[in-house]
């Protein structure tokens, strides 16, 4: 399959969708996590090579061979994904409407629709449910509740800021440019 598009992002998206529809095994299809990770790494290597145009003929042959050998499992996994999506859509449509006007207006103001506050909405494609309420249980960031927000001391903060490319001079220059850029002379 040759993709001729001038937009490289379109090319990458097209290739990734195609590869994902063929190599659609899940973790529970493997006997160990290592086997699953090896599979994912191999798929990503092939995807990268196709995007970059590296040895395309050999990769296309490998994809065709895999598709031929695993056609039944590919179809089963596609059907399973479609069933999960249909079930999620049905669950979303089956959510009961709020009768209490205060709760309904509070939820709609927060952008959560008709899902009761503090409950979970179904996910679209597996994984964990999404929190929908303002006061309900919320997921914590990786590494604990304060991960990434604690700075040990001011020197550590300055060192991290410099490593990220930030400096006082750049901030000062930007502030002056923004201030003087807003002055209109007539």
């Amino acid at each position: 399959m040759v993709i001729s598009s001038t937009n490289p992002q379109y090319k990458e998206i097209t290739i990734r969708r195609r590869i994902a529809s063929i190599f659609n095994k899940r973790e529970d299809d493997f006997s160990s996590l290592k086997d699953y990770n090896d599979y994912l790494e191999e798929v990503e290597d092939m995807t990268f090579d196709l995007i970059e145009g590296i040895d395309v003929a050999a990769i296309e042959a490998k994809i065709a061979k895999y598709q031929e050998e695993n056609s039944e499992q590919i179809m089963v996994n596609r059907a399973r994904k479609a069933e999960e999506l249909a079930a999620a859509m049905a669950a979303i449509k089956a959510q009961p409407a709020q009768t209490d006007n205060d709760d309904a207006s509070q939820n709609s103001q927060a952008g959560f629709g008709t899902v009761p506050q503090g409950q979970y909405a179904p996910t679209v494609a597996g994984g964990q449910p999404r929190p929908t309420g303002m006061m309900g249980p919320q997921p914590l960031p990786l590494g604990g509740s304060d991960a990434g927000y604690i700075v040990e001391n001011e020197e550590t903060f300055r060192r991290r800021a410099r490593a990220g490319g930030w400096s006082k001079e750049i901030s000062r220059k930007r502030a002056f440019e923004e201030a003087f850029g807003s002055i209109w002379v007539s």
Side-chain angles (χ1 to χ4, degrees), residues 17-84:
R17 282 184 181 161
R18 177 176 164 244
I19 296 297
S21 72
I22 296 168
F23 294 91
N24 57 5
K25 290 184 181 179
R26 298 180 182 192
E27 186 176 350
D28 55 328
D29 294 331
F30 294 89
S31 59
S32 70
L33 182 59
K34 183 182 180 337
D35 292 340
Y36 178 61
N37 286 335
D38 291 342
Y39 168 79
L40 290 177
E41 185 175 356
E42 182 181 356
V43 170
E44 183 58 31
D45 288 342
M46 286 189 300
T47 303
F48 177 80
D49 288 346
L50 280 176
I51 292 168
E52 296 299 318
I54 302 170
D55 202 14
V56 175
I59 294 171
E60 289 292 343
K62 190 174 185 180
I63 292 171
K65 180 181 176 189
Y66 177 86
Q67 207 169 6
E68 184 179 315
E69 292 173 355
N70 298 296
S71 61
E72 186 175 320
Q73 186 176 13
I74 291 169
M75 296 306 288
V76 167
N77 286 341
R78 285 180 184 169
R80 183 167 59 172
K81 185 176 180 180
E83 287 172 1
E84 288 172 357

Side-chain angles (χ1 to χ4, degrees), residues 44-165:
E44 183 58 31
D45 288 342
M46 286 189 300
T47 303
F48 177 80
D49 288 346
L50 280 176
I51 292 168
E52 296 299 318
I54 302 170
D55 202 14
V56 175
I59 294 171
E60 289 292 343
K62 190 174 185 180
I63 292 171
K65 180 181 176 189
Y66 177 86
Q67 207 169 6
E68 184 179 315
E69 292 173 355
N70 298 296
S71 61
E72 186 175 320
Q73 186 176 13
I74 291 169
M75 296 306 288
V76 167
N77 286 341
R78 285 180 184 169
R80 183 167 59 172
K81 185 176 180 180
E83 287 172 1
E84 288 172 357
L85 182 60
M89 295 303 288
I92 289 171
K93 289 180 182 178
Q95 292 290 333
Q98 293 270 331
T99 56
D100 187 5
N101 289 337
D102 293 337
D103 286 342
S105 65
Q106 188 179 33
N107 283 339
S108 65
Q109 287 175 355
F112 298 115
T114 60
V115 178
Q117 190 171 8
Q119 293 188 5
Y120 287 96
T123 60
V124 174
Q128 294 186 355
R130 296 182 301 227
T132 59
M134 294 294 287
M135 305 304 281
Q138 299 293 317
L140 296 175
L142 294 176
S145 61
D146 293 331
Y149 301 107
I150 297 176
V151 177
E152 295 80 21
N153 58 34
E154 191 172 332
E155 180 57 35
T156 304
F157 174 75
R158 286 186 183 141
R159 196 171 340 117
R160 288 181 181 169
R162 281 192 306 266

